[in-house]
């Protein structure tokens, strides 16, 4: 399966939140997000599901707004890549790796790794293609 990259380089095609998902899959994802510490309480399926990045969605680093303004699909297509904004996103994402290793099964961790922890690799690959 070809990756579906978010603006920040997350691989939506493997993300446990990206739709379509069953109600049971969403519940399991909500439980995982709570276990890892991505949420401070167990959220409902409506809150955990994701249909992809838009400027209306909350983005901690303002990446979606930036790529939207520049009319780019993701940061890897940007001439300023890697900028301080995406570097901060890489650093913040990496902070969750130890907790994921502790809390997740091997299978869960591999999904999290592919979906979120390889964003820098994903964007580097895109950036090389755009040169």
């Amino acid at each position: 399966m070809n990756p579906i990259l978010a603006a920040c380089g997350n691989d939506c095609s493997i993300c446990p939140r990206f739709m379509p998902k069953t109600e049971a899959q969403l519940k399991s994802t909500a439980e995982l997000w709570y276990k890892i510490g991505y949420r401070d309480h167990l959220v409902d399926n409506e809150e955990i599901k994701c249909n992809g990045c838009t400027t209306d969605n909350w983005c901690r680093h303002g990446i979606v707004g930036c790529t939207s303004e520049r009319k780019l699909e993701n940061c890897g297509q940007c001439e300023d890549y890697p900028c301080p904004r995406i570097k901060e996103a890489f650093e913040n994402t990496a902070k969750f790796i130890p907790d994921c290793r502790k809390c997740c099964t091997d299978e869960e961790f591999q999904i999290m790794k592919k979906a979120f922890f390889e964003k820098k690799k994903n964007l580097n690959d895109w950036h090389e293609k755009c040169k």
Side-chain angles (χ1 to χ4, degrees):
M1 173 188 288
N2 288 328
I4 301 169
L5 292 189
C8 66
N10 286 346
D11 185 345
C12 301
S13 59
I14 195 165
C15 176
R17 297 180 56 212
F18 192 67
M19 297 302 289
K21 297 287 190 266
T22 66
E23 292 297 312
Q25 289 170 318
L26 290 170
K27 183 178 186 318
S28 176
T29 298
E31 291 168 351
L32 178 61
W33 259 230
Y34 176 67
K35 182 170 69 168
I36 293 169
Y38 284 178
R39 298 290 189 279
D40 63 359
H41 65 282
L42 192 59
V43 298
D44 63 25
N45 286 359
E46 192 61 31
E47 185 173 333
I48 202 70
K49 74 180 182 180
C50 177
N51 289 303
C53 295
T54 68
T55 53
D56 295 332
N57 294 355
W58 176 74
C59 178
R60 174 181 318 218
H61 301 285
I63 291 169
V64 175
C66 183
T67 56
S68 180
E69 285 174 17
R70 294 172 182 240
K71 298 183 180 4
L72 303 171
E73 291 177 40
N74 64 62
C75 292
Q77 297 169 320
C78 186
E79 62 187 32
D80 297 328
Y81 177 81
C83 71
R85 182 176 287 166
I86 193 64
K87 286 180 181 178
E88 183 180 352
F90 295 154
E91 290 173 18
N92 284 338
T93 300
K95 291 176 186 176
F96 284 98
I97 294 173
D99 288 338
C100 281
R101 283 218 183 267
K102 282 191 284 188
C103 297
C104 295
T105 65
D106 288 337
E107 181 181 350
E108 290 169 334
F109 182 78
Q110 290 307 313
I111 290 169
M112 299 298 287
K113 178 182 171 199
K114 178 99 173 106
F116 304 108
F117 303 141
E118 293 182 354
K119 64 175 53 157
K120 183 175 184 179
K121 176 194 173 304
N122 294 339
L123 291 176
N124 286 345
D125 290 349
W126 261 96
H127 193 68
E128 285 300 314
K129 287 183 208 176
C130 292
K131 283 186 178 181

PDB file of all heavy atoms in Angstrom, residues 83-114:
ATOM      1  N   CYS A  83      12.338  23.110   8.061  1.00  0.00           N
ATOM      2  CA  CYS A  83      12.269  24.388   8.767  1.00  0.00           C
ATOM      3  C   CYS A  83      12.193  24.131  10.275  1.00  0.00           C
ATOM      4  O   CYS A  83      11.999  22.992  10.712  1.00  0.00           O
ATOM      5  CB  CYS A  83      11.054  25.185   8.292  1.00  0.00           C
ATOM      6  SG  CYS A  83       9.470  24.512   8.851  1.00  0.00           S
ATOM      7  N   PRO A  84      12.339  25.169  11.092  1.00  0.00           N
ATOM      8  CA  PRO A  84      12.241  24.989  12.549  1.00  0.00           C
ATOM      9  C   PRO A  84      10.918  24.373  13.001  1.00  0.00           C
ATOM     10  O   PRO A  84      10.885  23.587  13.943  1.00  0.00           O
ATOM     11  CB  PRO A  84      12.404  26.409  13.101  1.00  0.00           C
ATOM     12  CG  PRO A  84      13.203  27.123  12.056  1.00  0.00           C
ATOM     13  CD  PRO A  84      12.742  26.539  10.740  1.00  0.00           C
ATOM     14  N   ARG A  85       9.834  24.699  12.310  1.00  0.00           N
ATOM     15  CA  ARG A  85       8.514  24.185  12.690  1.00  0.00           C
ATOM     16  C   ARG A  85       8.471  22.658  12.574  1.00  0.00           C
ATOM     17  O   ARG A  85       8.022  21.972  13.484  1.00  0.00           O
ATOM     18  CB  ARG A  85       7.464  24.830  11.785  1.00  0.00           C
ATOM     19  CG  ARG A  85       6.067  24.426  12.100  1.00  0.00           C
ATOM     20  CD  ARG A  85       5.090  25.169  11.232  1.00  0.00           C
ATOM     21  NE  ARG A  85       5.041  26.544  11.717  1.00  0.00           N
ATOM     22  CZ  ARG A  85       4.510  27.563  11.078  1.00  0.00           C
ATOM     23  NH1 ARG A  85       3.973  27.386   9.899  1.00  0.00           N
ATOM     24  NH2 ARG A  85       4.494  28.759  11.586  1.00  0.00           N
ATOM     25  N   ILE A  86       8.937  22.112  11.455  1.00  0.00           N
ATOM     26  CA  ILE A  86       8.874  20.656  11.285  1.00  0.00           C
ATOM     27  C   ILE A  86       9.928  19.970  12.150  1.00  0.00           C
ATOM     28  O   ILE A  86       9.694  18.880  12.665  1.00  0.00           O
ATOM     29  CB  ILE A  86       8.963  20.226   9.796  1.00  0.00           C
ATOM     30  CG1 ILE A  86       8.570  18.742   9.629  1.00  0.00           C
ATOM     31  CG2 ILE A  86      10.352  20.457   9.213  1.00  0.00           C
ATOM     32  CD1 ILE A  86       7.147  18.425   9.975  1.00  0.00           C
ATOM     33  N   LYS A  87      11.061  20.612  12.360  1.00  0.00           N
ATOM     34  CA  LYS A  87      12.072  20.041  13.263  1.00  0.00           C
ATOM     35  C   LYS A  87      11.515  19.897  14.673  1.00  0.00           C
ATOM     36  O   LYS A  87      11.755  18.886  15.343  1.00  0.00           O
ATOM     37  CB  LYS A  87      13.330  20.899  13.276  1.00  0.00           C
ATOM     38  CG  LYS A  87      14.163  20.776  12.023  1.00  0.00           C
ATOM     39  CD  LYS A  87      15.393  21.671  12.112  1.00  0.00           C
ATOM     40  CE  LYS A  87      16.243  21.617  10.882  1.00  0.00           C
ATOM     41  NZ  LYS A  87      17.395  22.532  10.972  1.00  0.00           N
ATOM     42  N   GLU A  88      10.746  20.888  15.120  1.00  0.00           N
ATOM     43  CA  GLU A  88      10.113  20.807  16.439  1.00  0.00           C
ATOM     44  C   GLU A  88       9.104  19.655  16.479  1.00  0.00           C
ATOM     45  O   GLU A  88       9.007  18.938  17.478  1.00  0.00           O
ATOM     46  CB  GLU A  88       9.429  22.126  16.783  1.00  0.00           C
ATOM     47  CG  GLU A  88       8.820  22.121  18.165  1.00  0.00           C
ATOM     48  CD  GLU A  88       8.135  23.436  18.522  1.00  0.00           C
ATOM     49  OE1 GLU A  88       8.254  24.420  17.762  1.00  0.00           O
ATOM     50  OE2 GLU A  88       7.464  23.453  19.565  1.00  0.00           O
ATOM     51  N   ALA A  89       8.366  19.469  15.392  1.00  0.00           N
ATOM     52  CA  ALA A  89       7.418  18.353  15.326  1.00  0.00           C
ATOM     53  C   ALA A  89       8.148  17.017  15.422  1.00  0.00           C
ATOM     54  O   ALA A  89       7.694  16.106  16.121  1.00  0.00           O
ATOM     55  CB  ALA A  89       6.597  18.429  14.034  1.00  0.00           C
ATOM     56  N   PHE A  90       9.289  16.892  14.743  1.00  0.00           N
ATOM     57  CA  PHE A  90      10.084  15.662  14.831  1.00  0.00           C
ATOM     58  C   PHE A  90      10.506  15.402  16.276  1.00  0.00           C
ATOM     59  O   PHE A  90      10.400  14.283  16.781  1.00  0.00           O
ATOM     60  CB  PHE A  90      11.334  15.732  13.957  1.00  0.00           C
ATOM     61  CG  PHE A  90      11.099  15.812  12.474  1.00  0.00           C
ATOM     62  CD1 PHE A  90      12.047  16.411  11.663  1.00  0.00           C
ATOM     63  CD2 PHE A  90       9.953  15.311  11.880  1.00  0.00           C
ATOM     64  CE1 PHE A  90      11.869  16.497  10.288  1.00  0.00           C
ATOM     65  CE2 PHE A  90       9.757  15.388  10.504  1.00  0.00           C
ATOM     66  CZ  PHE A  90      10.714  15.988   9.705  1.00  0.00           C
ATOM     67  N   GLU A  91      11.002  16.439  16.945  1.00  0.00           N
ATOM     68  CA  GLU A  91      11.462  16.307  18.336  1.00  0.00           C
ATOM     69  C   GLU A  91      10.320  15.931  19.263  1.00  0.00           C
ATOM     70  O   GLU A  91      10.475  15.041  20.115  1.00  0.00           O
ATOM     71  CB  GLU A  91      12.113  17.606  18.803  1.00  0.00           C
ATOM     72  CG  GLU A  91      13.439  17.894  18.142  1.00  0.00           C
ATOM     73  CD  GLU A  91      13.983  19.270  18.486  1.00  0.00           C
ATOM     74  OE1 GLU A  91      13.529  19.890  19.481  1.00  0.00           O
ATOM     75  OE2 GLU A  91      14.876  19.747  17.749  1.00  0.00           O
ATOM     76  N   ASN A  92       9.183  16.608  19.133  1.00  0.00           N
ATOM     77  CA  ASN A  92       8.049  16.303  20.005  1.00  0.00           C
ATOM     78  C   ASN A  92       7.524  14.893  19.786  1.00  0.00           C
ATOM     79  O   ASN A  92       7.164  14.205  20.741  1.00  0.00           O
ATOM     80  CB  ASN A  92       6.926  17.324  19.805  1.00  0.00           C
ATOM     81  CG  ASN A  92       7.236  18.643  20.466  1.00  0.00           C
ATOM     82  OD1 ASN A  92       8.042  18.726  21.385  1.00  0.00           O
ATOM     83  ND2 ASN A  92       6.609  19.698  19.991  1.00  0.00           N
ATOM     84  N   THR A  93       7.485  14.451  18.546  1.00  0.00           N
ATOM     85  CA  THR A  93       7.027  13.098  18.252  1.00  0.00           C
ATOM     86  C   THR A  93       7.966  12.070  18.871  1.00  0.00           C
ATOM     87  O   THR A  93       7.517  11.084  19.462  1.00  0.00           O
ATOM     88  CB  THR A  93       6.918  12.882  16.734  1.00  0.00           C
ATOM     89  OG1 THR A  93       5.994  13.820  16.201  1.00  0.00           O
ATOM     90  CG2 THR A  93       6.456  11.475  16.407  1.00  0.00           C
ATOM     91  N   ALA A  94       9.256  12.303  18.764  1.00  0.00           N
ATOM     92  CA  ALA A  94      10.252  11.355  19.289  1.00  0.00           C
ATOM     93  C   ALA A  94      10.133  11.182  20.800  1.00  0.00           C
ATOM     94  O   ALA A  94      10.471  10.113  21.327  1.00  0.00           O
ATOM     95  CB  ALA A  94      11.657  11.815  18.909  1.00  0.00           C
ATOM     96  N   LYS A  95       9.621  12.175  21.493  1.00  0.00           N
ATOM     97  CA  LYS A  95       9.469  12.080  22.948  1.00  0.00           C
ATOM     98  C   LYS A  95       8.498  10.972  23.359  1.00  0.00           C
ATOM     99  O   LYS A  95       8.580  10.477  24.475  1.00  0.00           O
ATOM    100  CB  LYS A  95       8.993  13.415  23.521  1.00  0.00           C
ATOM    101  CG  LYS A  95      10.021  14.505  23.446  1.00  0.00           C
ATOM    102  CD  LYS A  95       9.456  15.819  23.942  1.00  0.00           C
ATOM    103  CE  LYS A  95      10.456  16.945  23.735  1.00  0.00           C
ATOM    104  NZ  LYS A  95       9.880  18.242  24.131  1.00  0.00           N
ATOM    105  N   PHE A  96       7.600  10.580  22.457  1.00  0.00           N
ATOM    106  CA  PHE A  96       6.616   9.544  22.783  1.00  0.00           C
ATOM    107  C   PHE A  96       7.142   8.125  22.552  1.00  0.00           C
ATOM    108  O   PHE A  96       6.515   7.163  22.973  1.00  0.00           O
ATOM    109  CB  PHE A  96       5.334   9.749  21.967  1.00  0.00           C
ATOM    110  CG  PHE A  96       4.483  10.869  22.473  1.00  0.00           C
ATOM    111  CD1 PHE A  96       4.538  12.118  21.872  1.00  0.00           C
ATOM    112  CD2 PHE A  96       3.640  10.681  23.552  1.00  0.00           C
ATOM    113  CE1 PHE A  96       3.754  13.161  22.338  1.00  0.00           C
ATOM    114  CE2 PHE A  96       2.855  11.713  24.028  1.00  0.00           C
ATOM    115  CZ  PHE A  96       2.916  12.964  23.417  1.00  0.00           C
ATOM    116  N   ILE A  97       8.271   7.990  21.896  1.00  0.00           N
ATOM    117  CA  ILE A  97       8.784   6.649  21.585  1.00  0.00           C
ATOM    118  C   ILE A  97       9.012   5.810  22.833  1.00  0.00           C
ATOM    119  O   ILE A  97       8.553   4.659  22.886  1.00  0.00           O
ATOM    120  CB  ILE A  97      10.042   6.734  20.694  1.00  0.00           C
ATOM    121  CG1 ILE A  97       9.668   7.295  19.324  1.00  0.00           C
ATOM    122  CG2 ILE A  97      10.718   5.361  20.557  1.00  0.00           C
ATOM    123  CD1 ILE A  97      10.850   7.590  18.417  1.00  0.00           C
ATOM    124  N   PRO A  98       9.693   6.315  23.890  1.00  0.00           N
ATOM    125  CA  PRO A  98       9.897   5.467  25.076  1.00  0.00           C
ATOM    126  C   PRO A  98       8.593   5.001  25.717  1.00  0.00           C
ATOM    127  O   PRO A  98       8.483   3.832  26.106  1.00  0.00           O
ATOM    128  CB  PRO A  98      10.692   6.369  26.023  1.00  0.00           C
ATOM    129  CG  PRO A  98      11.346   7.380  25.151  1.00  0.00           C
ATOM    130  CD  PRO A  98      10.394   7.597  24.007  1.00  0.00           C
ATOM    131  N   ASP A  99       7.606   5.883  25.825  1.00  0.00           N
ATOM    132  CA  ASP A  99       6.330   5.481  26.412  1.00  0.00           C
ATOM    133  C   ASP A  99       5.623   4.445  25.547  1.00  0.00           C
ATOM    134  O   ASP A  99       5.019   3.505  26.066  1.00  0.00           O
ATOM    135  CB  ASP A  99       5.417   6.690  26.609  1.00  0.00           C
ATOM    136  CG  ASP A  99       5.883   7.584  27.738  1.00  0.00           C
ATOM    137  OD1 ASP A  99       6.621   7.100  28.621  1.00  0.00           O
ATOM    138  OD2 ASP A  99       5.509   8.772  27.734  1.00  0.00           O
ATOM    139  N   CYS A 100       5.705   4.611  24.239  1.00  0.00           N
ATOM    140  CA  CYS A 100       5.097   3.617  23.343  1.00  0.00           C
ATOM    141  C   CYS A 100       5.779   2.262  23.482  1.00  0.00           C
ATOM    142  O   CYS A 100       5.110   1.236  23.493  1.00  0.00           O
ATOM    143  CB  CYS A 100       5.157   4.090  21.894  1.00  0.00           C
ATOM    144  SG  CYS A 100       3.904   5.292  21.488  1.00  0.00           S
ATOM    145  N   ARG A 101       7.082   2.270  23.585  1.00  0.00           N
ATOM    146  CA  ARG A 101       7.811   0.995  23.760  1.00  0.00           C
ATOM    147  C   ARG A 101       7.371   0.292  25.043  1.00  0.00           C
ATOM    148  O   ARG A 101       7.250  -0.919  25.074  1.00  0.00           O
ATOM    149  CB  ARG A 101       9.316   1.240  23.790  1.00  0.00           C
ATOM    150  CG  ARG A 101       9.898   1.487  22.431  1.00  0.00           C
ATOM    151  CD  ARG A 101      11.265   0.820  22.344  1.00  0.00           C
ATOM    152  NE  ARG A 101      11.888   1.099  21.087  1.00  0.00           N
ATOM    153  CZ  ARG A 101      11.788   0.303  20.023  1.00  0.00           C
ATOM    154  NH1 ARG A 101      11.084  -0.795  20.070  1.00  0.00           N
ATOM    155  NH2 ARG A 101      12.403   0.606  18.905  1.00  0.00           N
ATOM    156  N   LYS A 102       7.168   1.079  26.113  1.00  0.00           N
ATOM    157  CA  LYS A 102       6.763   0.495  27.398  1.00  0.00           C
ATOM    158  C   LYS A 102       5.322   0.009  27.393  1.00  0.00           C
ATOM    159  O   LYS A 102       5.026  -1.042  27.945  1.00  0.00           O
ATOM    160  CB  LYS A 102       6.927   1.525  28.526  1.00  0.00           C
ATOM    161  CG  LYS A 102       8.335   1.715  29.007  1.00  0.00           C
ATOM    162  CD  LYS A 102       8.386   2.520  30.275  1.00  0.00           C
ATOM    163  CE  LYS A 102       8.161   3.975  29.978  1.00  0.00           C
ATOM    164  NZ  LYS A 102       8.368   4.878  31.109  1.00  0.00           N
ATOM    165  N   CYS A 103       4.431   0.763  26.785  1.00  0.00           N
ATOM    166  CA  CYS A 103       2.994   0.500  26.877  1.00  0.00           C
ATOM    167  C   CYS A 103       2.441  -0.399  25.788  1.00  0.00           C
ATOM    168  O   CYS A 103       1.431  -1.061  25.991  1.00  0.00           O
ATOM    169  CB  CYS A 103       2.221   1.816  26.815  1.00  0.00           C
ATOM    170  SG  CYS A 103       2.543   2.924  28.172  1.00  0.00           S
ATOM    171  N   CYS A 104       3.061  -0.392  24.640  1.00  0.00           N
ATOM    172  CA  CYS A 104       2.504  -1.083  23.478  1.00  0.00           C
ATOM    173  C   CYS A 104       3.018  -2.509  23.342  1.00  0.00           C
ATOM    174  O   CYS A 104       4.144  -2.810  23.730  1.00  0.00           O
ATOM    175  CB  CYS A 104       2.870  -0.329  22.190  1.00  0.00           C
ATOM    176  SG  CYS A 104       2.148   1.295  22.048  1.00  0.00           S
ATOM    177  N   THR A 105       2.193  -3.324  22.749  1.00  0.00           N
ATOM    178  CA  THR A 105       2.666  -4.636  22.323  1.00  0.00           C
ATOM    179  C   THR A 105       3.624  -4.393  21.158  1.00  0.00           C
ATOM    180  O   THR A 105       3.671  -3.291  20.598  1.00  0.00           O
ATOM    181  CB  THR A 105       1.495  -5.513  21.835  1.00  0.00           C
ATOM    182  OG1 THR A 105       0.945  -4.920  20.659  1.00  0.00           O
ATOM    183  CG2 THR A 105       0.445  -5.687  22.916  1.00  0.00           C
ATOM    184  N   ASP A 106       4.359  -5.409  20.758  1.00  0.00           N
ATOM    185  CA  ASP A 106       5.251  -5.257  19.600  1.00  0.00           C
ATOM    186  C   ASP A 106       4.464  -4.860  18.350  1.00  0.00           C
ATOM    187  O   ASP A 106       4.898  -4.001  17.583  1.00  0.00           O
ATOM    188  CB  ASP A 106       6.033  -6.546  19.330  1.00  0.00           C
ATOM    189  CG  ASP A 106       7.102  -6.805  20.378  1.00  0.00           C
ATOM    190  OD1 ASP A 106       7.550  -5.843  21.042  1.00  0.00           O
ATOM    191  OD2 ASP A 106       7.502  -7.980  20.515  1.00  0.00           O
ATOM    192  N   GLU A 107       3.306  -5.484  18.161  1.00  0.00           N
ATOM    193  CA  GLU A 107       2.483  -5.172  16.999  1.00  0.00           C
ATOM    194  C   GLU A 107       1.998  -3.716  17.040  1.00  0.00           C
ATOM    195  O   GLU A 107       2.074  -3.001  16.036  1.00  0.00           O
ATOM    196  CB  GLU A 107       1.281  -6.116  16.934  1.00  0.00           C
ATOM    197  CG  GLU A 107       0.395  -5.870  15.734  1.00  0.00           C
ATOM    198  CD  GLU A 107      -0.810  -6.802  15.691  1.00  0.00           C
ATOM    199  OE1 GLU A 107      -0.869  -7.772  16.479  1.00  0.00           O
ATOM    200  OE2 GLU A 107      -1.698  -6.554  14.862  1.00  0.00           O
ATOM    201  N   GLU A 108       1.517  -3.273  18.201  1.00  0.00           N
ATOM    202  CA  GLU A 108       1.067  -1.883  18.336  1.00  0.00           C
ATOM    203  C   GLU A 108       2.220  -0.912  18.085  1.00  0.00           C
ATOM    204  O   GLU A 108       2.049   0.097  17.397  1.00  0.00           O
ATOM    205  CB  GLU A 108       0.495  -1.626  19.731  1.00  0.00           C
ATOM    206  CG  GLU A 108      -0.821  -2.294  20.005  1.00  0.00           C
ATOM    207  CD  GLU A 108      -1.224  -2.230  21.458  1.00  0.00           C
ATOM    208  OE1 GLU A 108      -0.349  -2.124  22.352  1.00  0.00           O
ATOM    209  OE2 GLU A 108      -2.438  -2.295  21.713  1.00  0.00           O
ATOM    210  N   PHE A 109       3.398  -1.229  18.639  1.00  0.00           N
ATOM    211  CA  PHE A 109       4.536  -0.326  18.460  1.00  0.00           C
ATOM    212  C   PHE A 109       4.936  -0.228  16.990  1.00  0.00           C
ATOM    213  O   PHE A 109       5.248   0.867  16.514  1.00  0.00           O
ATOM    214  CB  PHE A 109       5.748  -0.748  19.299  1.00  0.00           C
ATOM    215  CG  PHE A 109       6.878   0.222  19.134  1.00  0.00           C
ATOM    216  CD1 PHE A 109       6.863   1.436  19.800  1.00  0.00           C
ATOM    217  CD2 PHE A 109       7.935  -0.054  18.276  1.00  0.00           C
ATOM    218  CE1 PHE A 109       7.887   2.365  19.616  1.00  0.00           C
ATOM    219  CE2 PHE A 109       8.952   0.864  18.082  1.00  0.00           C
ATOM    220  CZ  PHE A 109       8.931   2.073  18.761  1.00  0.00           C
ATOM    221  N   GLN A 110       4.921  -1.328  16.272  1.00  0.00           N
ATOM    222  CA  GLN A 110       5.280  -1.281  14.852  1.00  0.00           C
ATOM    223  C   GLN A 110       4.310  -0.406  14.059  1.00  0.00           C
ATOM    224  O   GLN A 110       4.724   0.321  13.146  1.00  0.00           O
ATOM    225  CB  GLN A 110       5.364  -2.694  14.262  1.00  0.00           C
ATOM    226  CG  GLN A 110       6.550  -3.496  14.761  1.00  0.00           C
ATOM    227  CD  GLN A 110       7.880  -2.768  14.594  1.00  0.00           C
ATOM    228  OE1 GLN A 110       8.182  -2.218  13.540  1.00  0.00           O
ATOM    229  NE2 GLN A 110       8.667  -2.727  15.657  1.00  0.00           N
ATOM    230  N   ILE A 111       3.042  -0.466  14.418  1.00  0.00           N
ATOM    231  CA  ILE A 111       2.049   0.395  13.768  1.00  0.00           C
ATOM    232  C   ILE A 111       2.334   1.858  14.098  1.00  0.00           C
ATOM    233  O   ILE A 111       2.345   2.714  13.213  1.00  0.00           O
ATOM    234  CB  ILE A 111       0.616  -0.002  14.181  1.00  0.00           C
ATOM    235  CG1 ILE A 111       0.262  -1.360  13.564  1.00  0.00           C
ATOM    236  CG2 ILE A 111      -0.399   1.079  13.779  1.00  0.00           C
ATOM    237  CD1 ILE A 111      -1.003  -1.982  14.103  1.00  0.00           C
ATOM    238  N   MET A 112       2.585   2.145  15.362  1.00  0.00           N
ATOM    239  CA  MET A 112       2.872   3.518  15.781  1.00  0.00           C
ATOM    240  C   MET A 112       4.152   4.032  15.119  1.00  0.00           C
ATOM    241  O   MET A 112       4.207   5.180  14.678  1.00  0.00           O
ATOM    242  CB  MET A 112       2.998   3.595  17.303  1.00  0.00           C
ATOM    243  CG  MET A 112       1.735   3.198  18.044  1.00  0.00           C
ATOM    244  SD  MET A 112       0.330   4.253  17.681  1.00  0.00           S
ATOM    245  CE  MET A 112       0.805   5.715  18.557  1.00  0.00           C
ATOM    246  N   LYS A 113       5.136   3.165  15.043  1.00  0.00           N
ATOM    247  CA  LYS A 113       6.407   3.550  14.414  1.00  0.00           C
ATOM    248  C   LYS A 113       6.177   3.940  12.957  1.00  0.00           C
ATOM    249  O   LYS A 113       6.598   5.005  12.511  1.00  0.00           O
ATOM    250  CB  LYS A 113       7.402   2.386  14.507  1.00  0.00           C
ATOM    251  CG  LYS A 113       8.728   2.663  13.848  1.00  0.00           C
ATOM    252  CD  LYS A 113       9.639   1.442  13.951  1.00  0.00           C
ATOM    253  CE  LYS A 113      10.867   1.671  13.101  1.00  0.00           C
ATOM    254  NZ  LYS A 113      11.563   0.448  12.794  1.00  0.00           N
ATOM    255  N   LYS A 114       5.491   3.082  12.228  1.00  0.00           N
ATOM    256  CA  LYS A 114       5.248   3.336  10.795  1.00  0.00           C
ATOM    257  C   LYS A 114       4.349   4.557  10.599  1.00  0.00           C
ATOM    258  O   LYS A 114       4.598   5.382   9.722  1.00  0.00           O
ATOM    259  CB  LYS A 114       4.611   2.095  10.162  1.00  0.00           C
ATOM    260  CG  LYS A 114       4.278   2.239   8.715  1.00  0.00           C
ATOM    261  CD  LYS A 114       5.320   1.614   7.848  1.00  0.00           C
ATOM    262  CE  LYS A 114       4.886   1.608   6.398  1.00  0.00           C
ATOM    263  NZ  LYS A 114       5.580   2.573   5.595  1.00  0.00           N
TER     264      LYS A 114
END
